[in-house]
Amino acid sequence: MAKKLFIKTYGCQMNVYDSARMAEALAPLGYRSVEEPADADMVILNTCHIREKASEKVFSELGRLRALKDERPDGAGPMLIGVAGCVAQAEGEEILRRAPQVDMVFGPQTYHRLPDLVARARRGERALDTDFPAEDKFATLPDRPRAVSATAFLTIQEGCDKFCTFCVVPYTRGAEFSRPAAEVLAEARALAAAGAREITLLGQNVNAYHGAYHGADANGREEGLGGLIRRLAEIEGVERIRYTTSHPRDVDDALVAAHRDVPELMPFLHLPVQSGSDRILAAMNRRHTGDDYRRTVDRLRAARPDLALSSDFIVGYPGETEAEFEATLRLAEEIGYAQAYSFKYSPRPGTPAAEAAEQLAESVKAERLARLQALLNRMQTVFNEASIGAEMAVLFERPGRRPGQVIGRSPFMQSVHVEAAGDLLGEILPVRIAAAHANSLTGVAVAGGPAMPPIGGRAEVRA
Ligand code: 5AD
Ligand code: SF4
């Protein structure tokens, strides 16, 4: 009988990809994914360590799981509990010490060894594996499944060598590593054959991608992200390409040219700037200024005028003054974001910024966050309202909450809700946008229309 596997994923899209691959690695052992932890035979928490709140959640969830594990009926066998991801990587020993209900702890670089970890846990051993192993994780994992959803993630790059002073990623995910281009293209072909129409390339620093060249006559040549995108666009069935997360320093000419030349590359880019103040950017070790970022955005928009942008911001970095925070507000307003994420600075153990003397009061961070979010929300509303009346190509990804409702994405990553008679899942269809809300659009599928390129230039998003 199939065993029930419940994986709870926290944090970034890379964790979503990793969770999918964990489930695939466990399928040969008889595990099938379920939606609830209640009577699961195995529960894995795939954790995030990026901000304090994210890792606190893990320990409270482990408390709830302990109760579930203790309630297992006789004869059901023990519920195996695994903690994966970046909290596991950073605090593996501590988790085993504080949480006796946990059977397996493994990091983002060792989940391909799950079958071995499970065997050890079944023998009653508490297995810890947070190595950075020499073998290629991706080559060891089973092939991708035969059916996937219309939109799929594909990790092409992991880790980070940038060492921004606030960030744990270089410590939890390790050094920068790019998968060989041939391996990426093979996985993309498998995903397309299994039904994916959109592929989102993932990496902590995805545009630092420099995979070994795919050709036989390689001579040590490497493929950058721009070149890789061109090759992906040639794959039958791949109709949309996105990538995330990128670093402003790694936007090279080949990538800008891909935005100009490759229609499959969607006109939306998440390009985190973190701050608009040059002094704070330097303190963060971002190695670019506000103006460098503005010029990068200008180059991208010259190549792709309708490009919509998103960013991450941190407010209340140690020593940030009111004037420096206002520089962030100014930069956000000048760029005009379609959407963005913003966070209060959260000191992370082991990072340089956590040691800085001038930590700001929680109240200052909260007040600045509220002001920045008010601006970002206004810009998002303006951007969404500018879509009303436009026809946009929407890829339908999942059923909505109400019967007959389907939810898809516009080229600009807006969530689009449509009432539909037939089954539109997996289709790319033109939709006329009728109304805009804070976080989504509603529209009407244009009957009989062919799939079409997006129309409408970039909306003016000054708030
Ligand atoms: N505090 C607050 N936000 C952080 N981020 C990363 N580290 C921290 C931290 N210590 C944010 C950055 C990054 C996003 C993924 O999380 O904005 O781009
Ligand atoms: Fe963290 Fe900076 Fe690397 Fe992004 S670029 S993962 S913020 S260290």
Side-chain angles (χ1 to χ4, degrees):
M1 204 179 65
K3 299 188 207 57
K4 294 179 182 164
L5 167 70
F6 175 74
I7 304 185
K8 182 159 181 172
T9 307
Y10 300 83
C12 64
Q13 289 154 325
M14 301 204 47
N15 272 11
V16 175
Y17 175 87
D18 289 346
S19 292
R21 304 240 38 192
M22 284 175 208
E24 290 161 24
L26 289 167
L29 307 189
Y31 286 95
R32 297 284 170 273
S33 293
V34 295
E35 302 288 314
E36 290 293 330
D39 62 346
D41 300 288
M42 185 186 300
V43 175
I44 295 175
L45 304 182
N46 191 10
T47 62
C48 172
H49 201 238
I50 197 96
R51 287 172 295 277
E52 199 175 351
K53 266 198 197 149
S55 35
E56 275 166 13
K57 282 188 199 151
V58 176
F59 283 99
S60 42
E61 185 65 30
L62 282 174
R64 283 191 287 274
L65 288 176
R66 180 173 203 170
L68 278 185
K69 185 169 182 157
D70 291 346
E71 282 164 15
R72 292 279 283 186
D74 288 343
M79 170 196 267
L80 293 183
I81 300 181
V83 181
C86 292
V87 177
Q89 189 66 43
E91 296 177 20
E93 302 276 357
E94 171 80 358
I95 293 168
L96 286 180
R97 201 176 53 75
R98 269 178 66 183
Q101 68 275 36
V102 171
D103 305 285
M104 302 176 291
V105 176
F106 49 99
Q109 299 310 337
T110 46
Y111 63 78
H112 58 298
R113 296 175 174 171
L114 256 171
D116 172 55
L117 290 166
V118 173
R120 284 162 60 194
R122 281 189 183 151
R123 289 197 299 267
E125 201 183 313
R126 298 182 76 206
L128 172 74
D129 190 350
T130 49
D131 290 353
F132 288 105
E135 78 262 15
D136 181 352
K137 171 177 73 188
F138 296 104
T140 317
L141 286 163
D143 288 344
R144 303 309 311 266
R146 296 223 177 91
V148 297
S149 64
T151 178
F153 290 138
L154 203 178
T155 293
I156 64 168
Q157 180 280 337
E158 287 193 288
C160 182
D161 292 337
K162 294 267 190 310
F163 289 94
C164 298
T165 53
F166 52 80
C167 185
V168 287
V169 165
Y171 312 97
T172 56
R173 291 262 175 179
E176 207 281 309
F177 163 79
S178 291
R179 296 176 67 186
E183 194 180 294
V184 170
L185 292 169
E187 189 169 332
R189 273 185 224 105
L191 289 169
R197 305 192 72 187
E198 174 177 272
I199 293 185
T200 300
L201 305 173
L202 298 179
Q204 259 91 29
N205 236 227
V206 73
N207 58 337
Y209 178 78
H210 57 105
Y213 198 65
H214 71 112
D217 61 340
N219 293 333
R221 271 207 289 167
E222 288 186 339
E223 187 79 283
L225 183 60
L228 184 71
I229 287 170
R230 282 177 197 271
R231 292 184 192 286
L232 280 166
E234 287 165 11
I235 295 174
E236 180 77 27
V238 174
E239 284 165 67
R240 288 182 163 198
I241 301 170
R242 302 180 186 275
Y243 62 91
T244 197
T245 283
S246 38
H247 193 290
R249 273 180 67 92
D250 294 322
V251 179
D252 64 10
D253 290 342
L255 185 56
V256 174
H259 279 280
R260 184 189 61 217
D261 301 336
V262 181
E264 288 84 356
L265 183 57
M266 289 290 101
F268 175 87
L269 178 57
H270 182 66
L271 190 65
V273 68
Q274 314 294 357
S275 168
S277 150
D278 289 348
R279 192 188 75 85
I280 295 293
L281 286 168
M284 288 174 163
N285 192 32
R286 294 290 291 176
R287 292 183 290 155
H288 65 80
T289 63
D291 280 348
D292 293 336
Y293 183 88
R294 288 178 179 89
R295 276 196 294 274
T296 298
V297 169
D298 288 346
R299 279 162 63 218
L300 286 160
R301 281 181 169 158
R304 182 80 210 223
D306 61 350
L307 187 76
L309 282 148
S310 158
S311 178
D312 293 334
F313 294 93
I314 295 178
V315 302
Y317 184 84
E320 183 190 67
T321 64
E322 169 64 23
E324 286 164 344
F325 168 66
E326 283 168 13
T328 300
L329 292 177
R330 262 198 314 280
L331 180 135
E333 192 153 10
E334 276 170 36
I335 298 291
Y337 289 100
Q339 59 163 72
Y341 303 89
S342 47
F343 312 101
K344 287 187 281 193
Y345 168 69
S346 159
R348 305 307 291 132
T351 59
E355 308 298 319
E358 327 125 284
Q359 303 290 331
L360 299 195
E362 197 53 32
S363 55
V364 175
K365 295 190 218 175
E367 189 262 347
R368 288 182 187 167
L369 185 68
R371 280 158 69 198
L372 177 59
Q373 289 189 338
L375 171 67
L376 295 172
N377 290 343
R378 279 203 303 280
M379 286 198 278
Q380 183 170 333
T381 302
V382 171
F383 182 80
N384 283 348
E385 284 176 351
S387 308
I388 296 174
E391 262 183 37
M392 295 203 255
V394 172
L395 168 59
F396 291 100
E397 293 171 12
R398 60 198 162 94
R401 242 180 266 146
R402 287 203 307 277
Q405 194 183 47
V406 270
I407 303 178
R409 293 236 181 234
S410 79
F412 311 105
M413 275 304 267
Q414 295 147 299
S415 208
V416 183
H417 297 227
V418 166
E419 304 292 331
D423 180 10
L424 300 186
L425 291 183
E427 302 281 334
I428 299 175
L429 292 172
V431 170
R432 183 166 298 281
I433 305 303
H437 319 282
N439 293 309
S440 64
L441 305 172
T442 44
V444 182
V446 180
M452 47 171 291
I455 13 178
R458 179 174 66 86
E460 266 301 307
V461 283
R462 308 244 176 279

